Amino acid sequence: MIARRRAGTTEIRRDDRDRLGPFGRFYVTFVVVAVVGPFIPLLIASFAFRWNWPDLLPSRWWWEARETARLPLGWDYVFSPVSRVLESAGNTVLIALLVTLLCTLISLPAARVLARERFRGKSFVEFFLLTPLIVPEIAVGLGILVTFIQLGLAGTFTGIILVHLIPTIPYMVRVLTSVFQGLSRDYEEQARVLGAGPLRTMWHVTLPMIMPGVIAGGLFAFLISSNIFLLTFFIGRGRIETLPTLLFSRVSGGGALDAVAAGVALIVCIPGIIMLVLTERFIKEEVFAKGFGG
Amino acid sequence: MTELRLAALVKEFDDFTAVDHIDLTVAPGSLVALLGPSGCGKTTTLRMVAGLEHPTAGDVLFDGESVVGVPTERRNIGMVFQRYVLFPHMNVAKNVSFGLRMRRVSATEIERKVAEVLEVVQLQDLARRFPSQLSGGQQQRVAIARTVITDPRVLLMDEPLSNLDAKLREEMRAFITRLQRQLGITTLFVTHDQVEAIELADRIGVMFDGRLVQFGTPEEIFNRPRTKRVADFMGTNNLIPGRLDVQRDASTLVSVAGPLQCASGAHHVSGEDAIATVRPEHIDIGTPNGPLQGPNRFTGRIDDAVYYGGTLTYRVVADGLSLQVRDRSTRRFAVGEEVTVHIDPSHLWVFPE
């Protein structure tokens, strides 16, 4: 009897956990509305031809005006070469990929040392790595611009990639430091004992084991890089357009949300969403996920 | 088979000396246990042999050749860590073949050897499993298989049994002994468990505070401890404290129960505090006024009796001494009964307090 009643109790408890209480339901609804909500006007605006305040919906839609217009409108314009949207998207992704790669290569050894070794001035190095997050971008950007103009790096891809490393490296180093702290030295030592030199230990043991963390850090770096406006704007000098700078030039006029600006704004979100989906799938399907106590 | 020798090995860290002038030789094909409490420097010693720690001074020699300048991966050693450290992203076969792959052995040879070694450790059916799908004992056997597959010159083991439960530990102990004898690998084994050391090792080195305090066969260490700390650590029975009185040809330990004549010991300086020890089976026991004669006789009372493994072990309290006495004869004494105990001087071992 008692046993049965106990079993019943635990079942009820499990049900409770699956089903949210009134506060939980409110909270989830709130989060969904807060995340998805802002996109709805953007989506509507991108399909509008005329949308005046205080109308709830556009009075004239893009496809209604499409036939009669002499110039490409709305999404037609967004995807036409004149808008430079596709070119900027390509630039954004290319820059973000290279920044992610470089940032990972630079941060891996740094994070390893910060996680494993004790040395004089370590806390200073840690603080120094955080300063890009503390110092305003505009101050850094102006200083770098002056230098880069003299070096001939202003307005070049190299220049933009270099400045994008400034805000991405602190994040990457932080993520990877905690990843290395979570990886016992024993694994690398065991590999050495079994006859693997430092490079092969890194390749066969360390990297596969920290891969989920590297991917998480890479995702961060990619997203940060593809969202940087100010530094790209300064160093690119208008010669190299990325999605954030393009969007800025579209909306800087007067803040009116025209269909093209709305379209560009939506496209700016795409790299991040693609990365998120890819990462999620990759981490889930990873063969070695098995090894991590799964 | 390789001879491993440590010569005046020293390791200093920032603020303390972890290993303090250790001299030790592991004979080819034998198993030596480094025994000591945690923090005594035994693991640091092992890591210096592996090349994972660089000695501050002294030398590590394989067959008389220094390996201090040789990086870990080229020392051709095997090491089993306390936590097995199997690579979680590789299955059993890949884990076991890791060392061979690093030595660029051909694929067919790898396949043959992996099958062979997995059979030795009785894991041939689990080759495709991942470490997280194995029990502790199986993981340990994979770790050992991975280590011995490369025919290491020296095998190092760092408390390999401490993560296993009691029953499994016993099985693994037997397994390691068998494997080590079979393969004849020179082995250095680190443990804090004296039972483990006694059962596994050909020789035991007892370490305290970075120093090698005593080195000898398990029997020597257990029955003839050099210091009180060793005796305490080994769980040696029947420690009788007293003061030494050394005459020309005989020494006497004056204990609370009276003078004890002793024949052998670690040192003999008159007037010093010392401890005598005797094995429980070397104490004769009989009825009062019985046939027991000679020196070192006490009368006492049976305090406790435990029957274990075919013999009776009594606790006898005699004149302020508490002695364990193992009696192989068929007579029985009851608890509370008055008895006489006798210790032959040749069975008493004296060492400094």
Side-chain angles (χ1 to χ4, degrees):
Chain A
M1 249 330 253
I2 290 167
R4 200 180 297 163
R5 203 186 295 157
R6 277 219 188 112
T9 326
T10 52
E11 251 165 55
I12 289 166
R13 282 221 187 101
R14 193 174 302 149
D15 276 356
D16 278 352
R17 217 171 6 179
D18 289 345
R19 214 172 292 154
L20 290 165
F23 178 75
R25 243 175 290 166
F26 169 76
Y27 186 74
V28 169
T29 317
F30 177 79
V31 168
V32 170
V33 168
V35 171
V36 179
F39 283 92
I40 294 169
L42 216 53
L43 201 65
I44 297 172
S46 74
F47 286 100
F49 179 69
R50 193 179 299 123
W51 192 9
N52 293 326
W53 196 82
D55 296 345
L56 200 60
L57 285 173
S59 51
R60 193 140 189 247
W61 291 94
W62 161 58
W63 53 86
E64 291 167 351
R66 202 177 180 191
E67 307 301 318
T68 55
R70 263 172 288 148
L71 292 166
L73 290 174
W75 285 108
D76 290 334
Y77 179 80
V78 169
F79 288 115
S80 74
V82 193
S83 72
R84 301 181 72 190
V85 167
L86 292 180
E87 183 201 331
S88 326
N91 286 346
T92 309
V93 171
L94 182 72
I95 291 169
L97 281 176
L98 287 170
V99 166
T100 306
L101 187 73
L102 269 177
C103 179
T104 313
L105 288 179
I106 294 169
S107 305
L108 269 174
R112 199 185 134 94
V113 169
L114 284 176
R116 295 276 170 83
E117 311 294 338
R118 288 193 303 157
F119 53 90
R120 204 185 293 180
K122 181 178 171 180
S123 53
F124 175 76
V125 171
E126 281 171 338
F127 174 75
F128 188 71
L129 276 166
L130 282 181
T131 46
L133 307 179
I134 301 163
V135 179
E137 261 184 11
I138 193 153
V140 182
L142 279 172
I144 289 177
L145 180 59
V146 175
T147 317
F148 274 21
I149 288 174
Q150 284 173 351
L151 294 174
L153 286 168
T156 64
F157 271 99
T158 319
I160 290 181
I161 289 168
L162 285 178
V163 290
H164 277 201
L165 290 173
I166 297 169
T168 48
I169 284 179
Y171 280 105
M172 192 63 134
V173 168
R174 299 221 87 186
V175 170
L176 292 181
T177 302
S178 66
V179 167
F180 272 113
Q181 277 164 350
L183 176 72
S184 157
R185 245 176 227 249
D186 293 356
Y187 292 99
E188 285 158 329
E189 290 182 344
Q190 178 69 75
R192 297 289 298 278
V193 168
L194 288 169
L199 281 177
R200 301 171 91 196
T201 300
M202 188 78 188
W203 181 252
H204 290 285
V205 175
T206 317
L207 272 182
M209 287 189 71
I210 63 168
M211 201 39 94
V214 173
I215 289 168
L219 176 74
F220 259 119
F222 188 95
L223 290 181
I224 292 169
S225 163
S226 63
N227 279 319
I228 294 173
F229 163 71
L230 203 61
L231 289 172
T232 317
F233 186 69
F234 274 9
I235 306 302
R237 309 195 78 194
R239 263 177 259 165
I240 292 167
E241 202 86 82
T242 63
L243 286 175
T245 60
L246 187 75
L247 179 65
F248 186 77
S249 60
R250 289 298 319 183
V251 297
S252 58
L257 191 63
D258 70 345
V260 176
V264 175
L266 285 173
I267 286 178
V268 169
C269 304
I270 289 176
I273 294 170
I274 291 177
M275 279 308 276
L276 199 69
V277 172
L278 278 182
T279 311
E280 174 104 349
R281 282 192 64 170
F282 182 72
I283 290 183
K284 261 189 198 153
E285 289 176 7
E286 225 183 354
V287 190
F288 14 100
K290 274 179 189 161
F292 295 91
Chain B
M1 283 194 275
T2 305
E3 181 201 68
L4 167 65
R5 194 153 70 81
L6 314 182
L9 202 59
V10 177
K11 179 68 189 179
E12 283 167 9
F13 290 111
D14 299 340
D15 42 356
F16 78 109
T17 307
V19 175
D20 195 357
H21 293 89
I22 295 244
D23 288 286
L24 181 97
T25 302
V26 185
S30 74
L31 193 155
V32 168
L34 278 181
L35 176 67
S38 57
C40 72
K42 55 193 194 301
T43 296
T44 308
T45 307
L46 200 73
R47 291 172 60 82
M48 282 192 278
V49 178
L52 298 171
E53 220 65 79
H54 195 82
T56 311
D59 211 346
V60 177
L61 306 114
F62 290 1
D63 281 337
E65 243 174 77
S66 172
V67 294
V68 165
V70 181
T72 300
E73 61 267 24
R74 284 200 267 123
R75 288 194 187 186
N76 197 11
I77 48 170
M79 184 160 175
V80 178
F81 288 68
Q82 188 171 355
R83 299 187 315 115
Y84 324 140
V85 212
L86 299 180
F87 302 129
H89 55 293
M90 298 180 195
N91 64 23
V92 169
K94 288 278 176 204
N95 261 291
V96 171
S97 65
F98 189 87
L100 297 179
R101 285 187 282 137
M102 292 304 115
R103 287 167 176 77
R104 304 187 196 281
V105 174
S106 74
T108 45
E109 176 76 358
I110 287 179
E111 205 173 322
R112 190 183 64 75
K113 276 204 147 178
V114 168
E116 189 184 300
V117 170
L118 283 181
E119 204 174 307
V120 173
V121 298
Q122 295 155 22
L123 288 173
Q124 52 275 54
D125 303 331
L126 304 179
R128 304 272 153 247
R129 293 268 185 95
F130 279 84
S132 58
Q133 299 166 306
L134 302 177
S135 71
Q138 288 168 338
Q139 289 189 37
Q140 184 59 281
R141 278 185 283 161
V142 174
I144 293 171
R146 174 173 71 176
T147 298
V148 298
I149 198 168
T150 56
D151 292 325
R153 299 180 74 182
V154 172
L155 179 60
L156 307 169
M157 294 184 149
D158 188 3
E159 309 242 3
L161 306 178
S162 60
N163 277 354
L164 303 172
D165 62 56
K167 187 173 167 288
L168 210 53
R169 201 177 308 158
E170 214 150 291
E171 267 177 48
M172 284 307 297
R173 228 184 265 159
F175 174 77
I176 290 175
T177 315
R178 216 167 50 234
L179 194 72
Q180 199 267 336
R181 298 269 184 282
Q182 196 181 324
L183 303 173
I185 306 177
T186 307
T187 305
L188 190 59
F189 188 102
V190 159
T191 180
H192 65 265
D193 181 346
Q194 79 280 7
V195 180
E196 205 166 283
I198 288 169
E199 233 178 84
L200 280 170
D202 300 308
R203 293 274 191 287
I204 295 177
V206 183
M207 280 183 78
F208 291 118
D209 304 326
R211 289 169 179 276
L212 190 68
V213 179
Q214 192 171 358
F215 184 73
T217 64
E219 209 208 350
E220 268 168 23
I221 307 269
F222 188 72
N223 294 319
R224 292 157 179 257
R226 190 84 55 79
T227 69
K228 178 152 191 293
R229 243 180 130 181
V230 175
D232 281 343
F233 196 78
M234 296 304 291
T236 306
N237 298 310
N238 297 336
L239 302 179
I240 306 164
R243 185 174 292 255
L244 263 184
D245 179 19
V246 183
Q247 301 300 324
R248 208 169 304 131
D249 50 355
S251 42
T252 310
L253 185 88
V254 185
S255 73
V256 285
L260 272 170
Q261 286 187 22
C262 313
S264 55
H267 94 162
H268 295 274
V269 177
S270 227
E272 277 201 2
D273 285 337
I275 293 172
T277 177
V278 57
R279 294 169 66 161
E281 60 268 33
H282 285 161
I283 302 180
D284 305 313
I285 186 166
T287 49
N289 313 314
L292 293 178
Q293 290 303 321
N296 301 347
R297 255 182 324 128
F298 308 97
T299 36
R301 201 173 285 281
I302 305 274
D303 191 46
D304 195 14
V306 179
Y307 189 77
Y308 180 78
T311 57
L312 261 167
T313 301
Y314 300 106
R315 171 163 296 283
V316 178
V317 178
D319 298 339
L321 285 178
S322 173
L323 297 170
Q324 277 201 32
V325 181
R326 193 164 300 147
D327 190 6
R328 290 221 170 79
S329 70
T330 49
R331 56 186 170 189
R332 294 284 177 266
F333 296 101
V335 173
E337 200 175 333
E338 195 161 281
V339 290
T340 299
V341 291
H342 166 250
I343 308 166
D344 191 282
S346 66
H347 286 143
L348 272 165
W349 170 259
V350 180
F351 58 91
E353 161 78 58

